[in-house]
Amino acid sequence: MYLDIKNLSFKYDQINIIDSFNMSAPKGSITTIIGESGSGKSTLLRILAGLNNSQTGIFTLDNQIVFNEYKNVETHKRKIGLVFQDYTLFPHLNIEQNIAFGIHSKHKKKERIQSILKMVELENDAHKYPYECSGGMQQRVALARAIANQPKLLLLDEPFSNLDQDLKIRLRDQFISWAKQEEITLIWVTHDMEEAYAISNQVIELIKKI
Ligand code: ADP
Ligand code: MG
């Protein structure tokens, strides 16, 4: 499968936070992770992104080992993106520059930025700075930046929980259609069961250990 995680375990102060977690997912699919607060959802994403080490288990992505018993690819080489609910844009860069920041390849960079701005309907706001944008718009830029990076896997940790319900659903559905266009594989953390079943190809529940 495009993504495979086998027997992933992680301890915090001798306590099992993640215990033999398994999942597989095809390219371009959406997996949601649900579970009550403290069940290890954020910890799982941090491990996959490479921000928490000392896990055991095997993680492969796009036919490459990300980590196993012998190997642990560095965070910045994983091509895995992570978007938090309290997203951060660079305050001194405008929208276009914030999006451009994620694009490492120089090849057709200008065209790529324009097509992303168009897709997320921000062409007319490209020169605004974050302080000139509403919360919803800032989150849209954060998501656009994450997509522009073309990650092999994009991890979203309750990405819309700061937004009101209408905006949340609108932005969520738009975002999913952008991710599909770009064939980006998503792991989406939420504690909202209804959201989980509305958007995903598979739902995995984490159970709180303590
Ligand atoms: P969730 O995102 O599902 O709410 P977390 O992954 O944040 O859960 O936390 C899972 C468990 O790991 C909790 O019991 C939490 O207390 C513990 N934990 C995670 N990170 C830390 C940390 N840096 N310090 C202390 N405990 C932590
Ligand atoms: Mg969390």
Side-chain angles (χ1 to χ4, degrees):
M1 198 72 95
Y2 182 73
L3 176 154
D4 271 306
I5 298 168
K6 293 202 181 81
N7 282 320
L8 172 63
S9 296
F10 179 79
K11 282 188 168 61
Y12 202 89
D13 281 345
Q14 319 290 346
I15 298 161
N16 275 326
I17 306 289
I18 310 281
D19 196 10
S20 281
F21 176 84
N22 294 289
M23 77 168 266
S24 300
K27 185 169 166 65
S29 62
I30 305 177
T31 300
T32 47
I33 307 287
I34 56 172
E36 64 183 298
S37 180
S39 59
K41 303 182 299 296
S42 296
T43 303
L44 174 65
L45 296 196
R46 292 176 57 82
I47 292 168
L48 301 183
L51 302 174
N52 263 350
N53 285 312
S54 80
Q55 75 285 339
T56 59
I58 304 172
F59 174 22
T60 59
L61 183 62
D62 193 17
N63 291 315
Q64 286 172 334
I65 293 164
V66 181
F67 60 70
N68 64 12
E69 199 180 338
Y70 308 105
K71 187 174 172 180
N72 196 5
V73 175
E74 290 168 80
T75 306
H76 64 282
K77 293 186 179 157
R78 291 188 181 191
K79 295 205 165 181
I80 297 177
L82 180 55
V83 177
F84 303 92
Q85 69 182 63
D86 43 356
Y87 49 89
T88 39
L89 299 177
F90 299 110
H92 59 292
L93 298 181
N94 68 26
I95 289 183
E96 181 170 348
Q97 291 162 335
N98 263 282
I99 291 174
F101 188 84
I103 304 174
H104 299 305
S105 161
K106 291 209 170 68
H107 180 67
K108 296 201 171 169
K109 184 164 176 168
K110 280 216 168 90
E111 289 89 331
R112 174 85 182 139
I113 294 168
Q114 288 314 313
S115 82
I116 293 281
L117 284 169
K118 189 155 186 256
M119 182 174 78
V120 302
E121 293 165 36
L122 286 170
E123 310 113 288
N124 299 328
D125 302 298
H127 298 292
K128 285 191 178 153
Y129 283 83
Y131 71 87
E132 299 175 282
C133 302
S134 65
M137 200 157 147
Q138 291 186 39
Q139 183 62 316
R140 180 189 289 233
V141 177
L143 292 163
R145 184 175 63 187
I147 291 177
N149 244 328
Q150 292 187 302
K152 290 183 174 178
L153 173 65
L154 183 55
L155 309 168
L156 302 137
D157 198 350
E158 310 204 24
F160 301 123
S161 45
N162 284 337
L163 306 178
D164 65 52
Q165 192 66 9
D166 284 355
L167 182 61
K168 173 180 161 164
I169 291 176
R170 191 147 43 89
L171 191 51
R172 183 189 80 192
D173 292 347
Q174 284 177 338
F175 171 71
I176 288 171
S177 92
W178 307 331
K180 289 231 184 298
Q181 281 178 53
E182 298 279 320
E183 271 198 285
I184 294 178
T185 308
L186 305 178
I187 299 183
W188 189 300
V189 160
T190 179
H191 58 261
D192 180 343
M193 196 85 87
E194 212 177 302
E195 172 167 274
Y197 285 96
I199 63 174
S200 40
N201 301 104
Q202 62 175 337
V203 178
I204 299 176
E205 184 173 10
L206 290 186
I207 307 293
K208 197 170 175 177
K209 305 297 180 309
I210 39 169

